[in-house]
Amino acid sequence: MKFGILVNEGPFTHQASDSAYQFAAAAIEKGHQVARVFFYNDGVYNSNKLSEPQTDDRNLVDLWAKLGKEHDIDLVVCIAAALRRGIKEEVLKDGFRISGLGQLVEAGIENDRLVVFGD
Amino acid sequence: MKFGILVNEGPFTHQASDSAYQFAAAAIEKGHQVARVFFYNDGVYNSNKLSEPQTDDRNLVDLWAKLGKEHDIDLVVCIAAALRRGIKEEVLKDGFRISGLGQLVEAGIENDRLVVFGD
Amino acid sequence: MEPWEEEGPEVVKRFMYVNRKAPYGTIYALECLEVVLIAAAFDQDVSVVFVDDGVYQLKKNQDTAAIGMKNFSNTYRALDDYDVEKIYVEQESLESRGLTAEDLIIPVEVLAGDNLREIMAQQDVVISS
Amino acid sequence: MEPWEEEGPEVVKRFMYVNRKAPYGTIYALECLEVVLIAAAFDQDVSVVFVDDGVYQLKKNQDTAAIGMKNFSNTYRALDDYDVEKIYVEQESLESRGLTAEDLIIPVEVLAGDNLREIMAQQDVVISS
Amino acid sequence: MSKMLHLINKSPTDRNSLDSCLRLAEAGSSVLLLEDGVYAALSKAASAEAVNQRMGELTFYVLGPDVSARGLDDKPLIDGISVVDYGGFVDLVVEHDVAQSWL
Amino acid sequence: MSKMLHLINKSPTDRNSLDSCLRLAEAGSSVLLLEDGVYAALSKAASAEAVNQRMGELTFYVLGPDVSARGLDDKPLIDGISVVDYGGFVDLVVEHDVAQSWL
């Protein structure tokens, strides 16, 4: 089955991004496809490559980028939400791309399920 | 009277930073001093100079920097909260400085009041 | 076979956008509205629901001058121009807040929870914020 | 007059840190704990309060391995080493969640709301997160 | 004893912060409703009864700019709640010994 | 009609999302409690009665990893709630037509 995922919160502050990541990893493990993860609202902060958690903590920016690369997931950061929050190409982690809200609607149209993680 | 202010949320997502800004501006207008604003939790995002809101919307990063400069407010971004969220010198707006949590405790000790704005 | 033939018939899905949060205290109301306006450009079946504190988003006479934030409530009026016509408000949510349909900035369909429940159960995609 | 004389006697203020949120769902519990550990290094009167869902922060036997997040609950044990000894938990908050003091990872003072109310009203600085 | 100013910035139909504050605020202290907390100032709010029960012991204020932003100027507020602007908010913080935010 | 999976990630003592879901979930749908939503799975939770009232019509699940993280493995859960892991969460999303998050 093909999944789309919407992440509405940034890393650390809310568990949303963690839950979404664990869900995505489990779906792939079960042989499903995660076609796109769309990062909206504060979710855009998940793509900030400057993020540097303590060494004994998880690094969600790296985890998403790695999962995306290994399993060909389209990691899309909403441009409107990102601009106001100061997420731009210069801080964007490799593997994410910035695009419009249409990509979220498409993720709802083209995938079998869209699962939303937020606050 | 001397005020310290704690801002726990980033710009836009919650009204906390807006309310804190309006409070600070009103306090100064009334002849009080706002000695320090400490940005903690997602509040560290208020210092991201890449933030670019729509042109008809307020720009809290600029507003805080301007108020700080004009009224000699110490704008302190918590280093621990900032590191994990990817706020570093390279994206830090002029007028903010990154420092430790001790600055928050000091703001509580040295000011007549500490007012907390969060979610 | 031409490429477009591979795609088969156009899928039309029922998308529901659910608003449960008050405006201004958080950005979710505004950013959900931004999604809905984009979604309207796709040929899908779009509905927007306001329930719980979400009904406050549609309150008339919002004036944000003194809080320094952008007043986006007039943008709800654009929903009609974008052919977003299925706008549902839960009656119980309105009533328990002392509001009526006359308090709202746009005409909506006020539904009892039981009816809203049925409509929710007919969607293909539900996006909440 | 020497510079330090200008500063007058050392001010000791009563600082209270109030926790009302559950752990892991949000970062507030962890980041508040980080503040308290720093605050302990200042010669102030520090107390930490757990009320409402904040009492869940102290639940024993937390095991975060399967959610991939850092388990910080053992750090509450360090409060004692840092001489943070005024740790208050509201009785009503515990009881309404089916918890008792035995469920908690550290010894605390369990207080009825009325008593907590009095202690709260004696603070100079209250920091909530 | 410190004279406290309690700050409530959450809607009473979404969060429990007003309830907790009303349970734990000492008589003689004040409560300022701001941001989404202003919905608790409406006389039709389900939480109005809880506010009224402590009206004699606590002094209630609501932040006018947040009321206007939410389009509530035409809605009746609970009797006895005073409307203040940001300057009045500052005055309240000055007049009380401690400000406590119920986050 | 779509078979819905409702996702609740908030504590029932902090937010109203469980209440709203229980009010608006169609009979025959399922509810998965995750993140801070797992507190609603405790048999001692004040919200347990509301869950039990719809136990016949709705099927309840709770995410085990979130239960363990919060140290709740030693606390009794409401009878009839099934514990799943992230793989089980994925299966539930597959088995239902739509996932609705009560944010």
Side-chain angles (χ1 to χ4, degrees):
Chain A
M1 192 168 260
K2 271 174 69 185
F3 290 106
I5 291 177
L6 171 59
V7 177
N8 285 342
E9 298 298 330
F12 308 112
T13 302
H14 296 85
Q15 201 185 340
S17 179
D18 286 285
S19 297
Y21 175 80
Q22 299 293 343
F23 177 86
I28 290 163
E29 181 73 29
K30 285 194 162 260
H32 298 295
Q33 185 192 351
V34 176
R36 179 174 294 159
V37 182
F38 192 85
F39 296 91
Y40 195 43
N41 303 125
D42 274 2
V44 301
Y45 291 130
N46 286 289
S47 69
N48 183 347
K49 70 179 174 193
L50 300 179
S51 176
E52 189 178 317
Q54 288 175 297
T55 48
D56 60 345
D57 202 356
R58 80 283 188 205
N59 184 324
L60 278 161
V61 179
D62 286 353
L63 287 171
W64 278 119
K66 186 160 175 280
L67 194 74
K69 192 175 176 194
E70 289 176 358
H71 301 282
D72 201 24
I73 306 171
D74 190 16
L75 303 175
V76 183
V77 177
C78 172
I79 188 164
L83 266 181
R84 59 169 68 98
R85 290 173 180 82
I87 297 295
K88 294 181 174 171
E89 292 293 344
E90 50 260 59
V91 296
L92 194 73
K93 177 83 177 175
D94 267 1
F96 290 83
R97 67 186 180 93
I98 297 178
S99 187
L101 275 168
Q103 304 284 308
L104 167 60
V105 181
E106 266 187 33
I109 295 173
E110 293 170 3
N111 293 297
D112 299 303
R113 300 285 183 277
L114 181 73
V115 188
V116 182
F117 294 87
D119 176 37
Chain B
M1 192 166 261
K2 271 173 70 184
F3 290 105
I5 292 177
L6 171 58
V7 177
N8 285 341
E9 299 297 329
F12 307 113
T13 302
H14 295 86
Q15 201 184 339
S17 179
D18 286 284
S19 296
Y21 176 80
Q22 299 294 341
F23 178 86
I28 289 163
E29 181 73 29
K30 285 196 162 257
H32 300 293
Q33 186 193 349
V34 176
R36 179 174 294 160
V37 182
F38 191 85
F39 297 91
Y40 195 44
N41 302 124
D42 274 2
V44 300
Y45 291 130
N46 286 288
S47 68
N48 183 346
K49 70 179 174 193
L50 299 179
S51 175
E52 190 178 317
Q54 288 175 298
T55 49
D56 58 346
D57 203 354
R58 81 282 188 204
N59 184 323
L60 278 162
V61 179
D62 286 353
L63 287 170
W64 277 120
K66 186 159 177 281
L67 194 73
K69 191 175 177 194
E70 289 176 359
H71 301 282
D72 202 24
I73 306 171
D74 190 15
L75 303 174
V76 183
V77 176
C78 172
I79 188 163
L83 265 182
R84 58 169 68 99
R85 290 174 180 81
I87 297 296
K88 295 182 174 170
E89 292 294 344
E90 50 258 59
V91 295
L92 194 73
K93 178 81 177 176
D94 267 1
F96 290 82
R97 67 184 179 94
I98 296 178
S99 188
L101 275 169
Q103 303 285 308
L104 166 60
V105 181
E106 265 187 34
I109 295 173
E110 292 171 3
N111 292 296
D112 300 302
R113 300 284 184 277
L114 182 72
V115 188
V116 182
F117 294 87
D119 175 37
Chain C
M1 195 162 87
E2 298 296 320
W4 61 82
E5 292 180 277
E6 295 178 351
E7 298 180 14
E10 189 80 41
V11 181
V12 174
K13 285 188 173 180
R14 283 156 298 186
F15 275 71
M16 176 172 273
Y17 296 87
V18 179
N19 291 278
R20 295 183 56 251
K21 292 173 181 152
Y24 306 114
T26 56
I27 203 174
Y28 302 103
L30 168 61
E31 291 195 329
C32 183
L33 184 55
E34 290 181 349
V35 178
V36 172
L37 294 176
I38 297 291
F42 290 74
D43 290 324
Q44 305 292 314
D45 180 309
V46 171
S47 58
V48 188
V49 170
F50 298 88
V51 65
D52 295 321
D53 282 356
V55 303
Y56 285 133
Q57 293 180 23
L58 299 179
K59 178 69 183 68
K60 269 183 192 164
N61 302 327
Q62 297 177 19
D63 177 359
T64 61
I67 62 169
M69 295 171 73
K70 183 169 138 180
N71 178 352
F72 60 93
S73 65
N74 283 319
T75 311
Y76 291 105
R77 294 209 176 99
L79 290 174
D80 191 50
D81 305 331
Y82 284 72
D83 295 322
V84 175
E85 285 159 358
K86 296 177 182 174
I87 303 176
Y88 305 117
V89 172
E90 193 206 25
Q91 191 170 356
E92 290 84 343
S93 297
L94 271 185
E95 283 175 3
S96 63
R97 287 163 183 78
L99 299 176
T100 68
E102 282 71 52
D103 285 307
L104 307 184
I105 196 168
I106 50 168
V108 300
E109 188 167 346
V110 178
L111 288 175
D114 285 350
N115 297 328
L116 179 58
R117 191 192 273 206
E118 281 172 37
I119 292 175
M120 277 188 169
Q122 287 160 9
Q123 303 304 312
D124 296 309
V125 180
V126 178
I127 294 181
S128 32
S129 53
Chain D
M1 194 162 89
E2 298 295 321
W4 60 82
E5 294 181 274
E6 293 179 356
E7 298 179 16
E10 189 80 38
V11 181
V12 174
K13 285 189 174 181
R14 284 156 297 187
F15 275 71
M16 175 172 273
Y17 296 86
V18 179
N19 292 280
R20 295 182 58 250
K21 291 172 181 154
Y24 306 113
T26 57
I27 202 172
Y28 302 104
L30 167 62
E31 292 196 328
C32 183
L33 183 55
E34 291 181 348
V35 177
V36 172
L37 294 177
I38 297 290
F42 289 75
D43 289 323
Q44 305 292 313
D45 179 309
V46 172
S47 58
V48 188
V49 170
F50 298 88
V51 65
D52 296 321
D53 283 355
V55 304
Y56 285 133
Q57 294 180 24
L58 300 179
K59 179 70 184 66
K60 269 182 191 163
N61 301 330
Q62 297 177 20
D63 176 0
T64 60
I67 63 169
M69 294 171 75
K70 184 170 139 178
N71 179 352
F72 60 94
S73 65
N74 283 320
T75 311
Y76 290 105
R77 294 209 178 100
L79 289 174
D80 191 49
D81 304 330
Y82 284 72
D83 295 322
V84 175
E85 285 158 359
K86 297 177 181 171
I87 303 177
Y88 306 117
V89 172
E90 194 207 24
Q91 191 171 354
E92 290 84 343
S93 297
L94 271 186
E95 284 175 3
S96 64
R97 286 164 183 79
L99 300 176
T100 69
E102 283 71 53
D103 287 307
L104 307 185
I105 194 167
I106 51 170
V108 300
E109 188 168 346
V110 178
L111 288 176
D114 285 350
N115 298 328
L116 180 58
R117 193 192 270 205
E118 281 172 37
I119 292 174
M120 277 189 169
Q122 287 161 7
Q123 304 303 312
D124 296 310
V125 179
V126 179
I127 293 181
S128 33
S129 54
Chain E
M1 209 177 70
S2 305
K3 194 176 172 198
M4 311 278 290
L5 174 67
H6 299 279
L7 303 176
I8 301 289
N9 74 336
K10 295 299 165 199
S11 160
T13 36
D14 183 40
R15 302 275 192 105
N16 65 8
S17 43
L18 178 71
D19 287 342
S20 292
C21 172
L22 293 178
R23 186 174 86 242
L24 291 168
E26 192 82 339
S29 57
S30 302
V31 178
L32 171 62
L33 306 168
L34 74 159
E35 299 179 5
D36 288 346
V38 303
Y39 294 115
L42 300 176
S43 63
K44 296 268 178 86
S47 54
E49 197 184 322
V51 170
N52 277 320
Q53 275 183 8
R54 298 217 64 192
M55 187 59 86
E57 298 176 303
L58 306 174
T59 311
F60 289 89
Y61 301 89
V62 63
L63 196 62
D66 279 322
V67 172
S68 301
R70 289 158 181 78
L72 304 176
D73 285 330
D74 57 3
K75 291 287 163 189
L77 304 184
I78 295 170
D79 277 349
I81 295 190
S82 309
V83 180
V84 298
D85 61 9
Y86 286 104
F89 180 3
V90 172
D91 291 343
L92 286 172
V93 172
V94 170
E95 292 158 12
H96 294 74
D97 300 311
V98 185
Q100 173 169 2
S101 295
W102 289 81
L103 305 183
Chain F
M1 209 177 71
S2 306
K3 193 175 173 199
M4 311 279 291
L5 174 67
H6 299 280
L7 303 176
I8 301 290
N9 73 336
K10 295 299 166 200
S11 159
T13 35
D14 183 41
R15 302 277 190 102
N16 66 8
S17 44
L18 178 70
D19 287 341
S20 292
C21 172
L22 293 178
R23 185 172 89 243
L24 291 168
E26 192 83 338
S29 56
S30 303
V31 178
L32 171 62
L33 305 169
L34 75 158
E35 298 179 7
D36 287 345
V38 303
Y39 293 115
L42 299 176
S43 63
K44 295 268 178 85
S47 53
E49 196 185 322
V51 169
N52 277 320
Q53 275 183 9
R54 296 216 67 192
M55 188 59 87
E57 298 176 303
L58 306 174
T59 311
F60 289 89
Y61 301 89
V62 62
L63 197 62
D66 279 322
V67 172
S68 302
R70 288 160 183 78
L72 304 176
D73 285 331
D74 57 4
K75 291 288 162 189
L77 304 184
I78 296 171
D79 277 347
I81 294 190
S82 309
V83 180
V84 297
D85 61 7
Y86 287 105
F89 180 3
V90 172
D91 292 341
L92 285 172
V93 172
V94 170
E95 292 158 12
H96 294 74
D97 300 311
V98 186
Q100 173 169 2
S101 295
W102 288 80
L103 306 183

